[in-house]
Amino acid sequence: MIAVETAEIYPWFADSPTGALSTSGSQPYYGRLVTAGQNDYWEQDLSLRSGSYRLRHLGQTANSYGIASITSRGHALATFDGYSVSLTFGVIREATGCLVRPGALRLTVASKSGSSSGYTWPTTMARLTRTGV
Amino acid sequence: MNVLYAAKEPILMPRKLYYWPWMATAQGGTWSWSGASARIFGGAYASATATAGTQWLEFENATASPGTFRVRFLCFTSTNSGIVHVLLNGVDTGARADLYSGSTVDNVVVNSSTFQIPAYTRATLRLVTGSKNALSTGYGLRLQHICLEKVSDGRDEGRTIDDLPWRYDVPPWAYESGGATPVVSITTGARWGSYYAVVNQNEYLEYRLFLPAGTYTLLCIARHNTNRAIATVTLNGNTIGSMDQYAGASTDNASSSIAGIVVTTTGVHTLRLTGATKNVSSSGYSLAANWLEFRRTA
């Protein structure tokens, strides 16, 4: 199948979000998705060519953020911990070797670190780049 | 990695195409671009108040398979905002999105009504404030991000690779590792709200992106300045042109382009911008990018 092999994901245009979706922020640098409670998620349908992908996520970290689990059609791709002692903008997370199939990619705030006070998860955007079969 | 494909391999078309207002192919009316506000994502938006029909943005080569579509807007609504009319190839689709609200509401997503695209198309999408709510005091249009979205099921297969998108974004933050780590600068007046830069001679910004075979123009939005390099631009190691980022004073949102880039194979390609040389007036080799986009022309 021929299909695009790089894709950008913008959470404000996601399909099927649960929780409170907000793009407000005090910095113009980021749009933010706020998921208000545990197990909130957003989902984005992707028309990608199947294969191994590198996943990158641009967001921020803080002491009230949760842990995001990213899956493709139920298959786990990556887990990112959003906790940090202080608020940090422009944090880039990366996972490689992600097996992606055409269909929905889902980000779920499934848990949090013991130090975090909440389950917020902000996303500016994410990007997938195909690296192999 | 470039990949050659069998001629009859099925083609899957994306169901969403994204557009930044500040990357419009053409625009009508008076627009201002600003980013110094919490209500703005990406550091830029387009604002306009005028008479009906005079304010518009246009995006060429929107590809679509037959089905039902809508246009989604990340925007802020206000008391003097108008109703967006959605046109394809100059024909009113009948789709509307009312951006009026009783008070200013930041960062909301407004969906247009749906419309039909009966046949495969590669059309010019025009968004125009063609009318207004009776309560609105103007035809304002504040758009931060736009999505053309297919909402009906099925028939996502394309006929040829020409049905795949004709625009490919390169977010500057998604740089490849291997060279110097770019420094990010948050700039409220800049499109996308920030830029990434390398500083020393021969350092580079490198990206990987999918491109179908075709002919392209590469556009780069960046802050030009007195210390900027001339970017040598390569695709898969082959030089495709250069971009001089020197300016006599700091200039946000300066645009450079390289036209006539021939891509012979469909697949993931490597783009690199290297600060190898500089304008004789420049004091350094710094190289910056707010946003990059490949725009297919043939």
Side-chain angles (χ1 to χ4, degrees):
Chain A
M1 174 179 289
I2 299 174
V4 298
E5 299 176 25
T6 49
E8 289 77 45
I9 299 166
Y10 301 99
W12 44 91
F13 290 138
D15 309 313
S16 307
T18 65
L21 179 65
S22 168
T23 53
S24 64
S26 59
Q27 295 274 340
Y29 176 58
Y30 62 90
R32 58 188 292 177
L33 169 74
V34 178
T35 46
Q38 190 172 13
N39 294 323
D40 282 343
Y41 68 88
W42 55 255
E43 194 168 80
Q44 179 66 65
D45 186 68
L46 296 173
S47 303
L48 283 169
R49 187 173 183 221
S50 298
S52 179
Y53 280 78
R54 182 179 59 200
L55 168 65
R56 281 192 168 169
H57 179 281
L58 177 64
Q60 60 196 53
T61 58
N63 61 12
S64 60
Y65 292 174
I67 295 174
S69 297
I70 300 175
T71 59
S72 169
R73 291 170 58 175
H75 179 77
L77 301 184
T79 300
F80 299 133
D81 188 351
Y83 173 80
S84 65
V85 174
S86 57
L87 180 61
T88 306
F89 297 119
V91 177
I92 299 170
R93 305 300 183 92
E94 179 176 299
T96 57
C98 300
L99 295 175
V100 176
R101 300 286 180 268
L105 182 138
R106 179 181 288 200
L107 183 148
T108 306
V109 189
S111 59
K112 68 179 184 67
S113 77
S115 302
S116 179
S117 62
Y119 291 89
T120 297
W121 182 265
T123 297
T124 297
M125 66 179 290
R127 190 168 196 258
L128 286 160
T129 305
R130 192 169 187 266
T131 55
V133 296
Chain B
M1 170 179 28
N2 298 331
V3 181
L4 289 170
Y5 296 97
K8 293 186 178 179
E9 202 167 354
I11 294 169
L12 183 62
M13 297 172 67
R15 297 176 65 84
K16 297 184 181 185
L17 299 177
Y18 301 104
Y19 300 97
W20 296 104
W22 32 269
M23 295 298 277
T25 313
Q27 63 195 55
T30 303
W31 290 80
S32 61
W33 310 93
S34 175
S37 169
R39 69 184 46 155
I40 306 308
F41 162 75
Y45 73 109
S47 175
T49 56
T51 54
T54 60
Q55 310 287 344
W56 51 267
L57 293 175
E58 206 167 74
F59 302 90
E60 292 180 342
N61 296 317
T63 52
S65 55
T68 306
F69 288 77
R70 66 180 178 180
V71 179
R72 310 182 72 190
F73 303 96
L74 176 65
C75 59
F76 69 89
T77 58
S78 70
T79 58
N80 65 354
S81 290
I83 295 174
V84 182
H85 297 207
V86 179
L87 282 67
L88 284 178
N89 287 335
V91 177
D92 189 353
T93 65
R96 301 285 186 269
D98 190 349
L99 304 188
Y100 167 81
S101 58
S103 60
T104 298
V105 182
D106 294 338
N107 297 311
V108 293
V109 174
V110 176
N111 300 325
S112 80
S113 51
T114 60
F115 60 99
Q116 298 297 316
I117 295 180
Y120 284 97
T121 187
R122 192 174 72 247
T124 296
L125 171 68
R126 179 182 283 209
L127 307 167
V128 54
T129 48
S131 59
K132 71 177 183 67
N133 185 309
L135 298 174
S136 178
T137 59
Y139 295 87
L141 179 59
R142 284 93 175 182
L143 306 177
Q144 300 161 49
H145 203 196
I146 300 156
C147 176
L148 173 63
E149 180 181 73
K150 187 174 186 181
V151 295
S152 57
D153 293 333
R155 291 189 63 80
D156 293 335
E157 72 276 18
R159 301 159 302 176
T160 72
I161 63 167
D162 292 345
D163 288 331
L164 291 173
W166 280 47
R167 284 173 178 247
Y168 292 88
D169 285 333
V170 186
W173 66 271
Y175 56 85
E176 295 291 316
S177 57
T181 300
V183 176
V184 60
S185 297
I186 297 172
T187 308
T188 54
R191 299 173 195 183
W192 178 246
S194 64
Y195 63 85
Y196 285 74
V198 290
V199 177
N200 299 309
Q201 187 175 20
N202 293 324
E203 290 180 345
Y204 57 83
L205 297 166
E206 185 172 287
Y207 302 95
R208 289 174 65 76
L209 77 157
F210 172 82
L211 292 172
T215 304
Y216 291 83
T217 293
L218 170 63
L219 295 128
C220 178
I221 306 295
R223 173 185 281 188
H224 291 186
N225 212 337
T226 57
N227 64 346
R228 291 291 193 260
I230 296 173
T232 299
V233 184
T234 63
L235 193 66
N236 304 320
N238 301 312
T239 300
I240 56 175
S242 63
M243 296 174 169
D244 187 351
Q245 295 195 342
Y246 170 79
S250 177
T251 307
D252 270 327
N253 306 319
S255 179
S256 304
S257 64
I258 298 171
I261 302 166
V262 177
V263 175
T264 56
T265 57
T266 297
V268 176
H269 302 265
T270 301
L271 172 71
R272 180 181 287 193
L273 287 75
T274 305
T277 59
K278 69 178 185 66
N279 188 300
V280 292
S281 301
S282 178
S283 62
Y285 291 88
S286 179
L287 188 63
N290 290 58
W291 200 261
L292 296 144
E293 180 184 274
F294 275 84
R295 194 172 292 177
R296 190 172 169 190
T297 56

